[in-house]
């Protein structure tokens, strides 16, 4: 497909929603699949919702995710810059452009000045609701002569500019996901195109920008579907080619409702902060609403670009299942090299107080071994602090009855005595000691199998299952193991368990 140009056009109103990331991803995949261009445009005409720093946060989130645009708005050396032949790419810098085209629309008779107050409009709509009608503007100002309107404006009256839709006209367009869509103008409103503050509404600016930036495909959420006929109408009356529309299904939660912050993490930053890998997040998000021809679930970016098409995007909402995301992310963690994974975990381990800069400098191999023992069970990087807690907390909860029963076995005092004897013969645990000590304990005590391994694991970790014992022993070190032996002897063998734990 030649001359494909798509755009992701968010508003700088705060955090980047995970649904917005998926819209950006689909735009990016489609552009790359077709050797096209992917543009980032900032739609900031709603000044009441503008948030300082939101543009920088938005671009940082996209860069972290690896969804890189070809032209539009960038951040370089902390400054917002624009690159490309179709700028400005920030709508608030395009007001003169919108003024030119709104005047043209008025001259052609497809838009008009409206002087109705907010109170009047609210009253009309309340009356319409009471009569069971669709609430919309009643066209009160449609017939005002243009010269009269301009005189009223000159006298300082506040006004907006509205779209002048024809009566009872079917507007049709083809959507690559929805197919043919037809809506009658009788079911539509005379949309405000230019607000009283001189800024265009989304509905006007998006049409002008998409035409002037030569956008070939408009890929956006299905919430814009009811507004699209107004946009198609404006393309037609301006005499411009209408782009191809693609309205994506909504990202839903498990209850099949729109994903919102009330249900937990929904922003890209939330997932970044918890240590989800961007490759995994993209992989999973691509599958929330799109299905590949194969039954594969793990795709790198190159594979997604090769496979992606709108033919296989669902009409129904895609469910964002965090458990499935955790599974996908876990697959990527397992494929990450131990050195890279260790580097990713260090900030979380430092923040939890488990390690410090000296440990990173002098005990890196120890940290790496510790990470290796839990790597297979990580769903996201921040989870490392829970998984390695076994190395930093020697107390055992009174609620772990199975663990306590194992540690109260009649052979346990003997095992602990012999383990202590072995530890007292060395200065510090090395790899050789970690590999041999269990066999030495077995040889001295004649205790085998579960009766040997289960109590030792329970004493060391407070758990009955987990990483290899050799790594646990080496990571814990001599002093920690001695503390655990003493704790079990005093608090469990003597049954002095803190009931509040």
């Amino acid at each position: 497909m030649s001359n494909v140009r798509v755009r992701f056009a968010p508003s700088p109103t705060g955090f980047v929603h995970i649904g917005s990331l998926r819209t950006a991803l689909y735009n990016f995949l489609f552009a790359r699949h077709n050797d096209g261009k992917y543009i980032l445009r900032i739609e900031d005409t709603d000044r009441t919702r503008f948030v300082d720093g939101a543009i920088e946060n938005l671009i940082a989130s996209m860069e972290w995710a690896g969804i890189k645009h070809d032209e539009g708005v960038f951040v370089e050396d902390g400054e917002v810059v624009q690159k490309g032949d179709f700028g400005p790419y920030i709508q608030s810098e395009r007001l003169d452009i919108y003024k030119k085209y709104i005047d043209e629309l008025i001259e052609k008779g497809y838009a008009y000045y409206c002087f109705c107050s907010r109170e009047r409009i609210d009253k009309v709509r309340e009356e319409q609701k009471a009569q069971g009608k669709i609430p919309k503007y009643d066209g009160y100002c449609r017939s005002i002569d243009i010269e009269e309107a301009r005189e009223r404006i000159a006298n300082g009256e506040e006004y907006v500019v509205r779209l002048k839709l024809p009566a009872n006209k079917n507007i049709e367009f083809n959507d690559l996901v929805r197919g043919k869509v037809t809506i009658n103008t009788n079911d539509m409103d005379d949309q405000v195109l230019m607000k009283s503050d001189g800024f265009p509404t989304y509905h006007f600016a998006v049409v002008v920008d998409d035409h002037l930036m030569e956008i070939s495909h408009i890929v956006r959420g299905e919430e814009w579907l009811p507004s699209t006929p107004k946009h198609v109408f404006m393309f037609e009356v301006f005499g411009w080619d209408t782009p191809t529309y693609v309205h994506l299904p909504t990202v839903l939660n498990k209850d099949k409702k729109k994903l919102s912050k009330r249900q937990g993490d929904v922003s890209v930053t939330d997932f970044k902060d918890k240590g989800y890998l961007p490759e995994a997040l993209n992989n999973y998000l691509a599958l929330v609403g799109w299905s590949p021809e194969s039954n594969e679930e793990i795709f790198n970016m190159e594979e997604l670009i090769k496979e992606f098409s709108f033919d296989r995007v669902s009409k129904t909402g895609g469910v964002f299942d965090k458990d499935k995301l955790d599974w996908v992310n876990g697959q990527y963690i397992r494929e990450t090299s131990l050195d890279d994974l260790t580097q990713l975990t260090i900030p979380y381990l430092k923040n939890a107080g488990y390690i410090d800069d000296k440990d990173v400098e002098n005990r890196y191999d120890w940290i790496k071994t510790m990470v290796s023992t839990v790597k297979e069970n990580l769903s996201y990087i921040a989870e490392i602090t829970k998984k390695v807690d076994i190395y930093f907390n020697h107390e055992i909860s009174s609620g772990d009855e199975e663990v306590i029963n194992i540690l109260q076995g009649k052979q346990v005092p003997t095992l602990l005595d012999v383990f202590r004897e072995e530890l007292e013969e060395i200065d510090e645990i090395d790899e050789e000691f970690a590999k041999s000590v269990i066999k030495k304990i077995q040889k001295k005590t004649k205790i085998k199998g579960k009766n040997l391994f289960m109590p030792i694991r329970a004493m060391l970790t407070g758990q009955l299952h987990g990483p290899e014992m050799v790594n646990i022993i080496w990571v814990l070190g001599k002093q920690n193991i001695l503390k655990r032996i003493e704790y079990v002897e005093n608090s469990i063998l003597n049954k002095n368990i803190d009931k509040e734990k």
Side-chain angles (χ1 to χ4, degrees), residues 221-232:
E222 66 180 359
E223 65 269 21
W224 296 111
L225 189 63
S227 301
T228 301
K230 302 172 188 176
H231 305 166
V232 170

Side-chain angles (χ1 to χ4, degrees), residues 213-224:
M213 294 181 187
E214 298 181 6
I215 301 302
S216 63
H217 294 73
I218 296 174
V219 184
R220 59 191 181 190
E222 66 180 359
E223 65 269 21
W224 296 111

Side-chain angles (χ1 to χ4, degrees), residues 91-103 198:
Q91 286 186 335
S92 59
E93 298 178 16
R94 298 171 61 85
L95 299 186
D96 289 344
I97 297 172
Y98 303 132
K99 178 70 167 62
K100 170 188 171 184
Y101 286 102
I102 203 72
D103 288 345

Side-chain angles (χ1 to χ4, degrees), residues 159-338:
Y159 70 95
V160 299
V161 177
R162 289 183 179 274
L163 180 64
K164 196 171 192 176
L165 289 168
N168 196 29
K169 175 182 171 63
N170 282 334
I171 297 178
E172 298 180 351
F173 63 95
N174 187 60
D175 187 285
L176 290 188
V177 172
R178 311 276 161 179
K180 184 179 178 181
V181 179
T182 304
I183 300 181
N184 192 276
T185 54
N186 286 353
D187 297 322
M188 296 158 57
D189 203 352
D190 279 3
Q191 180 70 50
V192 172
L193 302 181
M194 192 69 74
K195 296 175 287 185
S196 58
D197 61 4
F199 280 80
T201 61
Y202 167 84
H203 303 282
F204 183 62
V206 73
V207 171
V208 173
D209 291 347
D210 286 337
H211 169 69
L212 295 180
M213 294 181 187
E214 298 181 6
I215 301 302
S216 63
H217 294 73
I218 296 174
V219 184
R220 59 191 181 190
E222 66 180 359
E223 65 269 21
W224 296 111
L225 189 63
S227 301
T228 301
K230 302 172 188 176
H231 305 166
V232 170
F233 177 73
M234 280 187 277
F235 276 107
E236 290 177 355
V237 298
F238 273 124
W240 298 339
D241 291 337
T242 303
T244 300
Y245 285 94
V246 186
H247 288 94
L248 304 175
T250 303
V251 177
L252 307 173
N253 61 23
K254 280 187 175 182
D255 298 328
K256 303 291 180 71
K257 296 179 181 177
K258 189 172 182 178
L259 194 67
S260 73
K261 203 165 182 64
R262 288 190 299 274
Q263 286 95 34
D265 298 332
V266 297
S267 79
V268 175
T269 303
D270 290 334
F271 291 96
K272 178 185 176 183
D273 289 348
K274 285 194 172 179
Y276 285 87
L277 303 180
E279 301 86 355
L281 186 58
N282 285 332
N283 184 160
Y284 177 67
L285 267 183
L287 301 173
V288 180
W290 169 78
S291 58
E293 290 189 19
S294 67
N295 290 322
E296 296 294 321
E297 293 184 294
I298 303 299
F299 293 88
N300 62 35
M301 188 64 87
E302 290 72 25
E303 290 165 338
L304 284 173
I305 289 169
K306 183 179 178 181
E307 293 277 340
F308 186 79
S309 77
F310 290 119
D311 295 340
R312 301 188 66 82
V313 171
S314 172
K315 292 182 177 67
T316 56
V319 174
F320 187 88
D321 184 341
K322 186 177 174 296
D323 292 337
K324 189 61 181 286
L325 169 61
D326 286 351
W327 179 85
V328 171
N329 201 60
Q331 303 303 306
Y332 278 81
I333 286 175
R334 248 78 77 207
E335 293 297 317
T336 302
S337 72
L338 184 55

Side-chain angles (χ1 to χ4, degrees), residues 341-374:
L341 184 62
T342 302
Q343 290 297 325
L344 290 170
T345 62
I346 283 172
Y348 297 94
L349 294 171
K350 287 171 67 175
N351 190 54
Y354 288 155
I355 63 172
D356 56 26
D357 290 333
K358 288 184 179 179
D359 291 319
V360 176
E361 184 177 349
N362 302 320
R363 304 177 70 200
Y364 182 76
D365 285 345
W366 170 76
I367 298 171
K368 189 163 78 168
T369 301
M370 177 171 64
V371 172
S372 76
T373 66
V374 299

